[in-house]
Every structure is written in C-alpha cells, then in structure tokens.
Amino acid sequence: MAAAAAKPHHLKLFFSNRYCRAQVVRMLDGTVVVDACSWEKQAKEVLESTSDKVAAAKVGELLAVRAAEKDVSEVHWIRKRGQRYHGKIASLIESMQAAGLPLH
C-alpha cells in the first residue's frame, strides 16, 4: 500500500503493428483513469498512419490533455526489462511531457 500511495498513477503502454495505446492506471484499485489510442476518431483524422512515431506522439498529447482534465499531476512508468527508450516509446513519453504531464 505504501508504494501505491507514493506513486498512485502508472503509465501502461501497448504498441501493435497497427495501433498505439496508452493508459493511466490508479494503482490502489487498478482502475483506468485516462486512456488514449490511435484508433480514436480524434487521432485518426490528423494521422496518416496509426502505428508510427507521429501517431505515438499524438497519443501522448491526447493522454496528457485528458489527464489534466482528471487532475492527474504526474505518472510513473516502469520500463520492462530489456525495453529500450527509443522510437515510439520515446516519442509518446516526450510528447506527453511536453503537453504538461510529467513522468515521475
């Protein structure tokens, strides 16, 4: 419980060959607070591809805007073992931070 109270919101990322998805999960009860994905109408209208770095950046931007509406001040991201911080992951996180949602 102490770890969940110290870092209450975690960032979960999912990338497939066709889409990008990001969620902010409240760790106390496991509920999804905010969700953004590249197959949504808002993202599809402005993207040529739903699975590249540009799409990941748009998902990060949407996530940050929605998190601000839900009063999420920061998120914690645990990098999986062997996962590199580059490409779509870096693009999503950097655009999320630029839009005002810091990574803790």
Side-chain angles (χ1 to χ4, degrees):
M1 279 294 189
K7 298 173 184 171
H9 297 101
H10 281 230
L11 178 65
K12 303 291 184 183
L13 305 175
F14 174 74
F15 299 100
S16 72
N17 290 335
R18 295 180 65 193
Y19 301 109
C20 306
R21 180 182 199 134
Q23 298 176 329
V24 175
V25 178
R26 185 181 309 119
M27 294 309 292
L28 286 175
D29 54 1
T31 59
V32 176
V33 179
V34 182
D35 179 48
C37 48
S38 62
W39 64 77
E40 294 176 4
K41 188 175 182 180
Q42 291 176 333
K44 272 188 169 181
E45 290 175 348
V46 296
L47 297 172
E48 291 181 25
S49 171
T50 57
S51 64
D52 60 357
K53 290 195 301 186
V54 176
K58 183 65 178 174
V59 169
E61 182 182 323
L62 285 172
L63 189 74
V65 169
R66 292 174 185 172
E69 292 171 359
K70 295 281 187 170
D71 295 326
V72 175
S73 59
E74 64 184 12
V75 294
H76 180 71
W77 177 59
I78 299 173
R79 183 167 43 178
K80 296 175 187 173
R81 183 178 174 178
Q83 187 178 26
R84 295 182 180 170
Y85 182 81
H86 76 290
K88 294 181 211 178
I89 294 171
S91 180
L92 189 146
I93 291 175
E94 288 168 3
S95 69
M96 181 187 72
Q97 290 173 328
L101 183 60
L103 197 64
H104 180 72

